[in-house]
Amino acid sequence: VLRQACARAAAWLRKGLALPVVAVNLSILQFRHGDLVQQVVDALRESGLPAHRLELEITESVLMRETDKVLSTAARLRALGVRLAIDDFGTGYSSLAYLQRLSVNKLKIDQSFVRTALQGPGTVAIVRAIIEMARALELEVVAEGIETEAERAFLAASQCAMGQGYLFARPMPAAAFEAFLAAQ
């Protein structure tokens, strides 16, 4: 998947399409088996994708299971210029100290918070706290799972500049995504 994502993204960039980054989810198995850093180096070299155009997403649960190995691997990936994101932020039990030690670029607020944000002040406070913390740490923040205009408006008013979800686009095959990018 990593090789295919890098190859496809590099091809779109060569066509002049506006693709800021391609994000690939990592699993715990990729940290446990094989040399993830070498796999990334190989995928970037084979595809010609610039390292800063690749973003690897790590869930909080992966971070908590293999902390030392993840931190070591993440440091090597960051040294390559690869971007790192913590996916599903807020659903795990990670120490906030890991945010600095991991040297991530982005926090992705879990969609469960987006879905319930408009239902009560408790979730509103959590979402706004995550956004403010990310801004204070100079991290990008993305809200996942935005499905309604009301959710988008709440997040925009809360200073969350990026979002993803069905409100913007549904999953699509590569050819349809290429046409989507070309229309932007």
Side-chain angles (χ1 to χ4, degrees):
V1 171
L2 176 65
R3 281 190 161 107
Q4 289 178 358
C6 289
R8 180 72 66 176
W12 287 331
L13 288 171
R14 284 191 294 274
K15 288 183 176 184
L17 298 174
L19 181 72
V21 297
V22 62
V24 177
N25 293 314
L26 296 179
S27 77
I28 191 69
L29 296 176
Q30 290 171 289
F31 286 93
R32 287 184 182 159
H33 305 295
D35 186 357
L36 176 60
V37 175
Q38 189 59 52
Q39 291 173 19
V40 169
V41 167
D42 292 344
L44 292 172
R45 187 189 73 249
E46 291 168 12
S47 66
L49 183 70
H52 71 277
R53 299 290 186 134
L54 177 62
E55 182 172 274
L56 300 175
E57 296 185 3
I58 306 165
T59 63
E60 281 185 281
S61 60
V62 168
L63 178 60
M64 293 312 298
R65 286 191 209 144
E66 302 283 333
T67 304
D68 292 335
K69 187 162 184 120
V70 171
L71 290 173
S72 170
T73 302
R76 293 170 55 209
L77 291 168
R78 289 284 291 143
L80 295 173
V82 172
R83 298 175 50 79
L84 298 175
I86 296 182
D87 196 16
D88 301 332
F89 188 78
T91 60
Y93 303 99
S94 68
S95 164
L96 296 179
Y98 289 132
L99 291 179
Q100 290 179 312
R101 289 180 58 203
L102 190 56
S103 186
V104 298
N105 303 93
K106 183 183 292 181
L107 293 183
K108 296 182 76 177
I109 302 171
D110 186 69
Q111 63 184 339
S112 63
F113 292 111
V114 173
R115 270 193 230 116
T116 59
L118 301 175
Q119 296 175 5
T123 306
V124 168
I126 290 170
V127 169
R128 288 185 173 154
I130 293 171
I131 293 166
E132 284 302 314
M133 179 186 60
R135 289 178 64 203
L137 293 171
E138 298 180 357
L139 302 175
E140 297 171 15
V141 63
V142 177
E144 297 179 303
I146 301 173
E147 295 184 0
T148 68
E149 182 58 37
E151 292 167 346
R152 189 211 58 77
F154 159 71
L155 291 158
S158 298
Q159 305 301 308
C160 183
M162 290 187 277
Q164 68 182 60
Y166 288 169
L167 180 66
F168 307 111
R170 294 196 175 262
M172 60 188 83
F177 185 66
E178 185 173 331
F180 178 80
L181 284 176
Q184 300 302 310

